[in-house]
Amino acid sequence: MNHDHEEFLQRARRRKGFEDAYERLEGEYAVIRELIAARIRAGLTQEVVATRMGTTKSAVSRLESAGRHSPSVSTLRKYARAVGCELEIRLRAMGALHEPGTSASACETAEDYKA
């Protein structure tokens, strides 16, 4: 069974309170979309990813769904390796959220600070 995420969102946005709840969880949903997309690009099942990670299919399923648990960086790194990727975490400037007297340079990449 295929899941059409855009169709789901169109239907869900009609429900009262959905937009606010979705916005609060957008970061988590973005991570989940990245995980699933990487697994699909690699042509792997959840079972294969679980074996490569040394865990169970149900653990991978929980990782690929929005839930109460936020995965650790270590778990995300294991998942990335299992699907043939490397984990990259970046901080990006958010414009209006900067305090007066600060600049977006606080969000430069780590490469900018290599000795």
Side-chain angles (χ1 to χ4, degrees), residues 33-45 49 64 79 83:
R33 283 191 302 270
E34 285 290 323
L35 294 175
I36 295 170
R39 179 174 57 78
I40 290 170
R41 281 192 307 269
L44 302 174
T45 63
V49 172
E64 290 183 354
Y79 185 99
V83 298

Side-chain angles (χ1 to χ4, degrees), residues 8-73:
F8 162 78
L9 286 178
Q10 285 178 352
R11 286 192 320 267
R13 284 191 169 107
R14 296 182 202 133
R15 295 193 312 254
K16 183 177 180 175
F18 176 82
E19 284 293 332
D20 290 337
Y22 188 80
E23 280 185 31
R24 284 192 306 274
L25 294 172
E26 177 55 31
E28 289 182 41
Y29 288 133
V31 170
I32 291 166
R33 283 191 302 270
E34 285 290 323
L35 294 175
I36 295 170
R39 179 174 57 78
I40 290 170
R41 281 192 307 269
L44 302 174
T45 63
Q46 287 182 335
E47 291 88 354
V48 171
V49 172
T51 299
R52 289 180 178 188
M53 290 178 68
T55 191
T56 63
K57 179 195 174 293
S58 61
V60 172
S61 180
R62 284 190 305 273
L63 186 61
E64 290 183 354
S65 64
R68 297 180 201 185
H69 175 70
S70 295
S72 68
V73 172

